[in-house]
Amino acid sequence: MADKYNICLDIGGTKILGAIFNEKKEIVFRLKKKTKEAGDDADNVEKMIISVVEDMIRDSDIKKKDIKAIAAGAPGVIDQGAGIILTSPNLPWTNYDIKSSIEKKFDIPFYIGNDVNVGVLGEWKYGVAKGYKNVVGFFVGTGMGGGLILDGKMFTGNKYKAAEYGHMILDPEGPLCGCGQRGCLEAFSSKKGMSSYILQQTARGRKNMLSETIENGVFKSKNLKKAIAAKDAVTLEAVDRACHYLAVATGNMINTISPDIVVYGGGVMEAVGDFFMEKILAEVDRYCMPSIRSTVELKKAALGDDSNIYGALAMIEDM
């Protein structure tokens, strides 16, 4: 009998990362394509996803009949049960029934969930949070995502809308967030939040390494790493501010959930996670009840960019 395979996708605002897993849960093929080539039309993004899947099947020499399922993590509020993307901040989707479209094209079961929920699921099943029952995940990237495992199950709340604690308000009079509220964690601690602070300081005449690298309101993680290494003063201020509010938010989640572990993932943590972790750990105890903090571990994600594709695999296995 031929082996069966699963195709797992990480769909982002700038790229689609794909992997094919064999029955031993080993990655046997990878592919990455830029999504910005798809433009701002929902049908074009769907065509890009389809082309990635088609290319993976063709270039891997795996027959379509041997693909058991396709699963993906994508940014936005997603009805995971129905496979409908209700809204997405970085992709042109509103009430978009992507499940039906992909299944009609390939005649293969398709599953999709919020990218950070899926990433936390990946870390829980295969990464640093494996074996724990209660997991809080912060994923620091262009925005700020959250994911939550409670009593050994992914918690998604009513209509799969839970764990948006990137929009936990930490200062009602703070900076405006893309969600329309003020003082959200995302407005302080994401790449967008740090970029906004850096541009404000630049406007005040303060020179720094990152302002000229900011495009569409955000810097790249690799440039942040360079600026930190060079001890750029404005960059270090932005990072200190970001880590301070991450520590406050972490304390709030620890006091509320009493998790076994808090996991920090995403592109920023992949690039400069050790630097961020040192700062978060130096502050977080100030914002926790000691009796609760004593039973919680704080760790950087182990799977890096692969958190989402492993989480997509876990979604398939849970179906």
Side-chain angles (χ1 to χ4, degrees):
M1 184 180 291
D3 285 346
K4 292 294 183 181
Y5 300 89
N6 290 304
I7 293 180
C8 298
L9 306 172
D10 176 6
I11 302 169
T14 61
K15 66 172 173 55
I16 298 174
L17 175 64
I20 298 178
F21 287 86
N22 64 16
E23 291 178 324
K24 297 178 181 178
K25 303 174 188 175
E26 299 167 333
I27 295 175
V28 296
F29 189 82
R30 288 181 180 270
L31 182 67
K32 182 188 287 189
K33 276 193 178 182
K34 294 181 179 178
T35 49
K36 66 181 179 181
E37 297 170 0
D40 58 0
D41 182 82
D43 288 339
N44 287 339
V45 178
E46 180 186 308
K47 288 175 184 176
M48 180 66 72
I49 295 167
I50 288 170
S51 76
V52 168
V53 174
E54 289 177 332
D55 288 353
M56 293 178 77
I57 293 172
R58 184 192 65 235
D59 296 343
S60 66
D61 290 326
I62 292 171
K63 294 180 173 59
K64 185 163 83 79
K65 67 181 179 64
D66 293 326
I67 303 296
K68 185 170 69 173
I70 304 168
V77 180
I78 298 173
D79 184 336
Q80 188 171 321
I84 296 173
I85 301 174
L86 303 177
T87 182
S88 181
N90 301 314
L91 291 166
W93 288 328
T94 302
N95 296 320
Y96 191 64
D97 186 0
I98 189 171
K99 179 178 175 68
S100 294
S101 297
I102 300 299
E103 289 186 343
K104 181 179 179 181
K105 172 65 181 177
F106 292 105
D107 194 27
I108 296 171
F110 178 76
Y111 310 104
I112 189 165
N114 169 269
D115 55 352
V116 179
N117 283 343
V118 172
V120 172
L121 184 63
E123 288 291 336
W124 177 52
K125 285 293 185 76
Y126 302 107
V128 72
K130 186 175 181 179
Y132 295 91
K133 286 186 66 177
N134 300 288
V135 182
V136 168
F138 290 94
F139 272 47
V140 189
T142 300
M144 176 70 64
L148 194 56
I149 306 290
L150 292 181
D151 290 328
K153 293 181 181 179
M154 173 65 72
F155 180 79
T156 53
N158 184 29
K159 301 294 184 182
Y160 300 91
K161 297 176 183 178
E164 287 289 346
Y165 40 82
H167 299 288
M168 177 193 306
I169 296 174
L170 301 175
D171 180 358
E173 297 181 358
L176 185 66
C177 181
C179 73
Q181 301 179 127
R182 285 193 173 274
C184 295
L185 174 62
E186 181 170 300
F188 292 111
S189 303
S190 67
K191 287 203 289 186
K192 282 183 179 178
M194 288 184 279
S195 295
S196 178
Y197 178 84
I198 288 164
L199 291 175
Q200 288 173 4
Q201 298 305 311
T202 304
R204 293 173 180 171
R206 299 182 66 194
K207 294 185 187 244
N208 61 85
M209 291 177 62
L210 279 180
S211 59
E212 292 185 2
T213 73
I214 293 173
E215 297 179 8
N216 299 316
V218 69
F219 53 72
K220 292 182 178 178
S221 297
K222 65 179 182 180
N223 292 327
L224 174 63
K225 185 175 183 177
K226 290 177 183 177
I228 289 172
K231 298 183 179 180
D232 180 76
V234 173
T235 299
L236 292 178
E237 284 177 16
V239 169
D240 284 345
R241 179 174 175 259
C243 291
H244 165 70
Y245 283 102
L246 266 169
V248 174
T250 298
N252 285 335
M253 293 304 295
I254 287 173
N255 289 341
T256 303
I257 303 296
S258 185
D260 302 304
I261 186 170
V262 179
V263 177
Y264 302 87
V268 169
M269 299 306 294
E270 175 76 0
V272 291
D274 291 341
F275 190 72
F276 267 57
M277 288 301 299
E278 183 179 338
K279 290 181 175 293
I280 293 166
L281 288 167
E283 273 201 72
V284 70
D285 288 6
R286 292 163 54 189
Y287 311 110
C288 305
M289 293 178 67
S291 59
I292 303 177
R293 171 69 181 97
S294 65
T295 56
V296 182
E297 296 182 56
L298 276 62
K299 292 186 178 181
K300 186 175 71 170
L303 299 175
D305 278 346
D306 288 345
S307 294
N308 276 3
I309 57 174
Y310 274 96
L313 178 64
M315 272 201 300
I316 293 171
E317 293 184 326
D318 288 346
M319 294 300 176

